[in-house]
Amino acid sequence: MRLKYGARLGLADLIAQQLARFLDDVPSDALIIPVPLHRRRLWSRGFNQAVLIGRALSEHSGLVMRTDILIRKKATPPLRSMSAKQRRNIVRNAFLLSRDRESGLKGKAVVLVDDVYTTGSTANACAETLKKSGVSSVLVFCWARVLKDDEQS
């Protein structure tokens, strides 16, 4: 929350250092692709926290990060107070692949970076879009995961 809403950008490096510990089983030619923001959200916030984390993860790991492949074509409202079903409906068809960039994805592993995994709707929509291009696997790296009340016990 401090990174995303408090603009404490230095936290991205700390987060990436912790996430880098889980890269041992990731192929050395995997691509890091951060979950994109729509341009309006990027303009209003001034940064994409997933890009900041992805950039730092790339620096720590040597993996290549690409921000020109996955595009958020549809502006979506903030999802934080919505149900899983509402989230799925909102992010459905929100992402697309850059036509001139998708050809190099076939057979590649992708590390999809996001800050928070709540219901998986955003990650699943991104993964579905990436898989259409022939990506072999999508691994989701996130800093926080929201648990439902029944999962916390």
Side-chain angles (χ1 to χ4, degrees):
M1 300 305 280
R2 289 181 185 150
L3 170 60
K4 189 174 192 172
Y5 300 113
R8 302 240 344 244
L9 306 185
L11 291 172
D13 189 61
L14 175 66
I15 292 168
Q17 286 176 34
Q18 299 304 311
L19 292 176
R21 298 179 301 154
F22 301 101
L23 287 171
D24 290 343
D25 296 327
V26 174
S28 61
D29 65 342
L31 295 174
I32 295 172
I33 299 180
V35 170
L37 289 179
H38 188 269
R39 66 182 177 275
R40 281 189 231 144
R41 178 82 40 86
L42 184 57
W43 290 334
S44 67
R45 186 175 295 150
F47 62 92
N48 178 342
Q49 66 281 359
V51 168
L52 296 176
I53 296 167
R55 184 178 299 134
L57 188 59
S58 175
E59 290 169 4
H60 288 286
S61 67
L63 295 176
V64 173
M65 182 181 80
R66 299 289 301 270
T67 59
D68 60 343
I69 293 174
L70 189 61
I71 299 163
R72 191 177 209 123
K73 68 176 179 177
K74 184 170 126 183
T76 56
L79 303 175
R80 57 181 167 251
S81 62
M82 296 185 187
S83 70
K85 184 178 180 181
Q86 289 171 314
R87 287 169 181 255
R88 264 191 316 276
N89 288 336
I90 286 173
V91 296
R92 182 179 291 128
N93 301 317
F95 301 96
L96 63 83
L97 295 171
S98 172
R99 294 219 186 272
D100 58 336
R101 304 284 186 228
E102 70 178 290
S103 61
L105 292 176
K106 190 171 175 93
K108 290 272 192 185
V110 168
V111 175
L112 181 70
V113 176
D114 204 358
D115 58 338
V116 178
Y117 184 102
T118 305
T119 64
S121 297
T122 299
N124 287 335
C126 289
E128 199 174 288
T129 302
L130 289 162
K131 289 261 188 168
K132 287 177 186 174
S133 71
V135 164
S136 65
S137 64
V138 178
L139 303 160
V140 178
F141 275 46
C142 63
W143 178 242
R145 178 173 173 239
V146 176
L147 298 175
K148 292 185 255 175
D149 287 336
D150 59 333
E151 292 178 294
Q152 294 179 18
S153 47

